[in-house]
């Protein structure tokens, strides 16, 4: 285990159809032919989410302690995520604390980018190395339908600012959903080429809060790749020293920009997975699809020593699943969604 993803909040300022949809109509997008609705879906039945109360969230000192103990056990890559991590007040303070932990050589954040311009400088100064943005569409209207927010211009501004401030490499993630944004695959790849960044296409996973996931909404990575290949003659990027990398990567022939395919549904890479997750309320998960969570809060708040926390982490890791069970008859979707687990 080398990679720890730390969620700092379960809240989000976006309402992506496939994650935290705004309304019942949006949640059932696959049935309501959402794409035909000109201004997005009518807001008739809003979904009232219940967020975790503040006291249940780990304090920054508590997160720092878990990361320090984990780093002592070999974790060297830490990603701050959420929910939307930039919604948590003073997240740059946490970044600063994590950046100072010996052994953390790679400190990244995943964000929808909307609030990034107001925090970028502080995050850079605090020691954040890299940022991954989520951007599913380059078409403002489609972006709004998918995320429930008029946010494309803000996200683009965030991406360009990240470049100017020297965050490298810049990755942009797009979840591809059949009939929703799969017609934009080539445009999104073109964006990576034009701006010399890494565009990563992610298969839609059964982690949505509305349980609307259906296999035929998943656009397999191989199909995405074939379509991009038809336009550009991509060259594979070999990374034999990084078997645990989630993305299979290709670069454009002129060396500008890169495309990654993350295909956990059609081509699971569980055997190489070296990731652990810490939820905002202090639960450790050994897989995105774990049905069991391991609560560290009683230890952290009950006077346990760092040694006790370390032992618990080792014990938890020993029980890591061999793989997820998507597509198998006994697959059970976890109770918590991507926004709570931390993507
Ligand atoms: N708010 C931040 C963001 O938007 O990047 C971080 C958290 S978000 C849950 C992390 C990533 O999970 C995003 O790239 C999002 O698109 C992805 N995601 C959420 N639900 C998903 C699903 N059901 N299948 C695949 N990816 C999903």
């Amino acid at each position: 285990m080398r990679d720890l993803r730390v969620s700092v909040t379960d809240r989000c300022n976006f309402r992506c159809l496939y994650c935290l949809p705004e309304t019942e109509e949006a949640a059932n997008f696959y049935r309501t032919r959402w794409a035909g609705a000109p201004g997005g879906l009518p807001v008739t039945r809003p979904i009232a989410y219940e967020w975790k109360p503040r006291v249940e969230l780990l304090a920054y000192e508590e997160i720092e302690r878990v990361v320090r103990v984990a780093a002592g056990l070999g974790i060297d890559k830490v990603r701050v995520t959420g929910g939307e991590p930039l919604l948590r007040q003073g997240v740059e303070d946490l970044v600063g604390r994590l950046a100072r932990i010996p052994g953390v050589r790679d400190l990244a954040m995943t964000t929808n980018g909307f609030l990034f311009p107001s925090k970028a400088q502080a995050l850079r100064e605090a020691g954040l190395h890299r940022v991954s943005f989520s951007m599913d569409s380059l078409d403002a209207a489609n972006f709004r339908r998918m995320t429930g927010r008029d946010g494309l211009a803000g996200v683009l501004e965030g991406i360009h600012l990240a470049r100017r401030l020297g965050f490298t490499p810049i990755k942009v993630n797009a979840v591809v959903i059949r009939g929703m944004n799969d017609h934009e695959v080539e445009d999104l790849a073109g964006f990576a080429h034009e701006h010399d960044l890494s565009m990563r296409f992610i298969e839609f996973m059964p982690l949505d809060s509305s349980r609307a996931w259906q296999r035929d909404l998943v656009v397999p990575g191989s199909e995405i790749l074939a379509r991009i290949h038809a336009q550009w003659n991509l060259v594979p990027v070999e990374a034999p020293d990084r078997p645990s990398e989630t993305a299979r990567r290709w670069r454009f022939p002129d060396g500008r920009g890169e495309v990654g395919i993350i295909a956990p549904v059609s081509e699971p890479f569980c055997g190489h997975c070296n990731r652990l997750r810490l939820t905002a309320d202090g639960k450790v998960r050994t897989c995105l699809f774990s049905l069991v969570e391991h609560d560290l809060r009683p230890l952290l708040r009950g006077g346990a020593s760092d040694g006790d926390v370390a032992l618990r982490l080792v014990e938890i890791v020993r029980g890591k699943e061999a793989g997820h069970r998507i597509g198998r008859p006994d697959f059970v979707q976890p109770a918590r969604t991507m926004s709570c687990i931390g993507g």
Side-chain angles (χ1 to χ4, degrees), residues 48-311:
Y49 291 103
E50 276 182 27
W51 312 113
K52 288 272 163 205
R54 198 54 195 269
V55 289
E56 289 187 21
L57 302 188
L58 293 191
Y60 288 158
E61 298 76 26
E62 291 171 320
I63 297 177
E64 180 189 0
R65 182 170 174 216
V66 176
V67 174
R68 179 172 304 107
V69 170
L73 293 168
I75 291 287
D76 59 8
K77 193 171 165 186
V78 177
R79 175 172 296 278
V80 178
T81 181
E84 173 47 45
L86 297 180
L87 282 182
R88 178 126 176 215
Q89 216 177 2
V91 70
E92 59 278 20
D93 171 35
L94 175 70
V95 165
R97 288 166 180 266
L98 302 184
R100 287 190 289 273
I101 294 177
V104 174
R105 57 159 190 90
D106 186 11
L107 182 58
M109 177 178 281
T110 304
T111 171
N112 62 34
F114 193 71
L115 295 173
F116 185 73
S118 61
K119 291 275 185 182
Q121 188 70 43
L123 290 168
R124 190 80 186 129
E125 284 165 12
L128 187 69
H129 302 146
R130 301 191 290 120
V131 195
S132 297
F133 294 90
S134 300
M135 185 181 72
D136 301 330
S137 172
L138 280 166
D139 166 343
N142 206 26
F143 184 97
R144 174 160 175 257
R145 277 188 210 113
M146 287 190 75
T147 63
R149 298 289 180 266
D150 261 326
L152 179 61
V155 174
L156 288 171
E157 188 193 335
I159 294 172
H160 298 318
L161 179 60
R163 154 73 37 80
R164 287 201 297 281
L165 290 177
F167 288 102
T168 51
I170 294 177
K171 295 181 184 170
V172 180
N173 297 325
V175 178
V176 184
I177 301 184
R178 178 89 62 206
M180 189 176 282
N181 63 343
D182 52 332
H183 60 287
E184 293 197 54
V185 160
E186 290 85 352
D187 287 352
L188 287 162
F191 179 82
H193 185 232
E194 184 185 344
H195 297 285
D196 192 13
L197 48 77
S198 170
M199 186 76 217
R200 301 170 2 135
F201 297 93
I202 306 177
E203 288 179 345
F204 179 28
M205 291 181 270
L207 284 171
D208 52 318
S209 65
S210 46
R211 293 162 191 263
W213 186 88
Q214 294 181 342
R215 196 159 192 125
D216 57 6
L217 293 170
V218 178
V219 183
S222 54
E223 181 183 327
I224 297 171
L225 184 64
R227 284 182 40 190
I228 302 173
H229 247 313
Q231 194 158 329
W232 289 277
N233 225 345
L234 298 175
V235 183
V237 177
E238 307 293 349
D241 53 324
R242 290 150 81 181
S244 57
E245 204 167 40
T246 48
R248 283 188 295 126
R249 295 160 52 201
W250 281 264
R251 62 179 174 76
F252 291 88
D254 64 1
R256 274 182 68 81
E258 192 181 295
V259 162
I261 307 281
I262 303 179
V265 179
S266 67
E267 299 166 56
F269 37 81
C270 304
H272 290 298
C273 176
N274 67 349
R275 281 170 288 285
L276 279 181
R277 289 182 158 79
L278 178 66
T279 65
D281 56 347
K283 312 274 191 332
V284 177
R285 297 178 64 96
T286 46
C287 173
L288 267 178
F289 298 95
S290 293
L291 297 174
V292 181
E293 298 185 332
H294 309 271
D295 198 355
L296 288 189
R297 237 175 27 201
L299 283 184
L300 298 172
R301 296 187 181 172
S305 68
D306 284 357
D308 296 335
V309 177
L311 270 178

Side-chain angles (χ1 to χ4, degrees), residues 26-56:
N28 285 308
F29 62 89
Y30 63 104
R31 278 199 228 115
T32 47
R33 300 265 152 253
W34 70 282
L41 290 159
V43 181
T44 50
R45 284 183 292 151
I47 300 174
Y49 291 103
E50 276 182 27
W51 312 113
K52 288 272 163 205
R54 198 54 195 269
V55 289
E56 289 187 21

